[in-house]
Amino acid sequence: MKIGFIGLGNMGAPMAANLVAAGHEVAGFDLTAPCPEGVAKASDAAQAAQGAEVVVTMLPNGTILRAVAGEIIAQMSPGAALLDCSTVDVQSARDVAEIAQGAGLLAVDAPVSGGIGGAAAGTLTFMAGGTEAGFAKVAPLFDIMGQKAVHCGPSGNGQAAKICNNMILGVTMIGTCEAFALADKLGLDRQKMFDVVSTSSGYSWSMNAYCPAPGVGPQSPADNDYTPGFAADLMLKDLRLSQQAAEAADADTPLGQAATALYQSFVEEEDGAGKDFSAMLPRFVSRRRG
């Protein structure tokens, strides 16, 4: 398949490389990042999209997605698919899909879960929104770049699934870090805490698979001085998207709101920028009630 790939950063570059390794012809473009080996460098986004059967985008936000869509849609042939794997606001995803469909294209919004490691290993999970035809067109690419893809419904529903998932993740990680900090002050050994909670009703992905306490549970960023697997900055971005969506949908999300405020303080006012989102643990350990 001839593929255009726009956005070759930490996530996009290994995803594009996996497509090349699977035998696809990939033309790539990024304003600053180099093309991975095997990806033909395009002079701009429009050139990357010309003649492509699928154009994959992995971009920082909805504003940039809208701008790139404006450059590439006119260059794409009817029946081609625009596959956006960025994490953006729901409305941007739906607006871009509407424009693409009006031009005779298939459109799929499919943000990912799995981080940089999952992108490199080809084990990402894709949450896809769009038509059945659009999903079927890009499904073979999901099989290469990931281990699972769920068709969540019409355009925008992929983004909706991503921000709801990550709102849960942000809330549960804060709760996990708070509990470890409390356990410390009550004199409860962290390993004993893990042994109990990981097999009891406090079980969660944040505890069992990504434990924020160094030396406890499986290997996680906590064991590497909180070098990001998933950066606190990105968690803040996703939580802000969740609250933007909650406001638009008139949904009551008090814990999502509180998690957003905590990560905002952690990233913008404390020392959380550039650290893993689980670095909330030392933050809570060093603080007192109130």
Side-chain angles (χ1 to χ4, degrees), residues 14-15 32 39 42-43 53 67 134 140 156 161 176 189 203 205 223 228 231 248 252 286 290:
M15 292 166 68
T32 56
V39 174
S43 59
E53 296 168 69
T176 303
D189 178 78
Y203 173 107
W205 188 88
D223 300 305
D252 185 23
S286 66

Side-chain angles (χ1 to χ4, degrees), residues 102-217:
L105 305 176
L106 300 167
V108 179
D109 58 286
V112 304
S113 178
I116 297 169
T123 57
L124 296 169
T125 294
F126 292 86
M127 295 147 267
T131 62
E132 292 284 353
F135 185 80
K137 173 90 172 180
V138 300
L141 305 188
F142 292 148
D143 291 340
I144 296 165
M145 297 186 289
Q147 62 182 352
K148 185 175 184 180
V150 179
H151 188 197
C152 299
S155 296
N157 279 23
Q159 300 296 343
K162 172 69 183 283
I163 61 176
C164 288
N165 179 76
N166 279 20
M167 185 172 73
I168 294 171
L169 179 59
V171 169
T172 56
M173 181 55 78
I174 287 172
T176 303
C177 293
E178 287 182 347
F180 269 113
L182 175 59
D184 287 351
K185 293 179 181 181
L186 294 174
L188 176 60
D189 178 78
R190 286 181 171 182
Q191 184 62 54
K192 301 299 185 186
M193 160 89 166
F194 178 84
D195 291 345
V196 170
V197 175
S198 64
T199 56
S200 299
S201 55
Y203 173 107
S204 72
W205 188 88
S206 295
M207 174 64 77
N208 290 56
Y210 208 91
C211 184
V216 178

Side-chain angles (χ1 to χ4, degrees), residues 47-75:
Q47 187 183 58
Q50 286 173 1
E53 296 168 69
V54 177
V55 176
V56 185
T57 51
M58 179 59 91
L59 302 167
N61 56 55
T63 300
I64 294 174
L65 171 63
R66 289 172 185 269
V68 169
E71 294 177 38
I72 66 176
I73 286 174
Q75 306 301 319

Side-chain angles (χ1 to χ4, degrees), residues 65-66 84 88-98 109 155-156 159:
L65 171 63
R66 289 172 185 269
D84 178 46
V88 302
D89 61 285
V90 174
Q91 195 57 53
S92 288
R94 288 177 174 162
D95 288 349
V96 166
E98 184 177 356
D109 58 286
S155 296
Q159 300 296 343

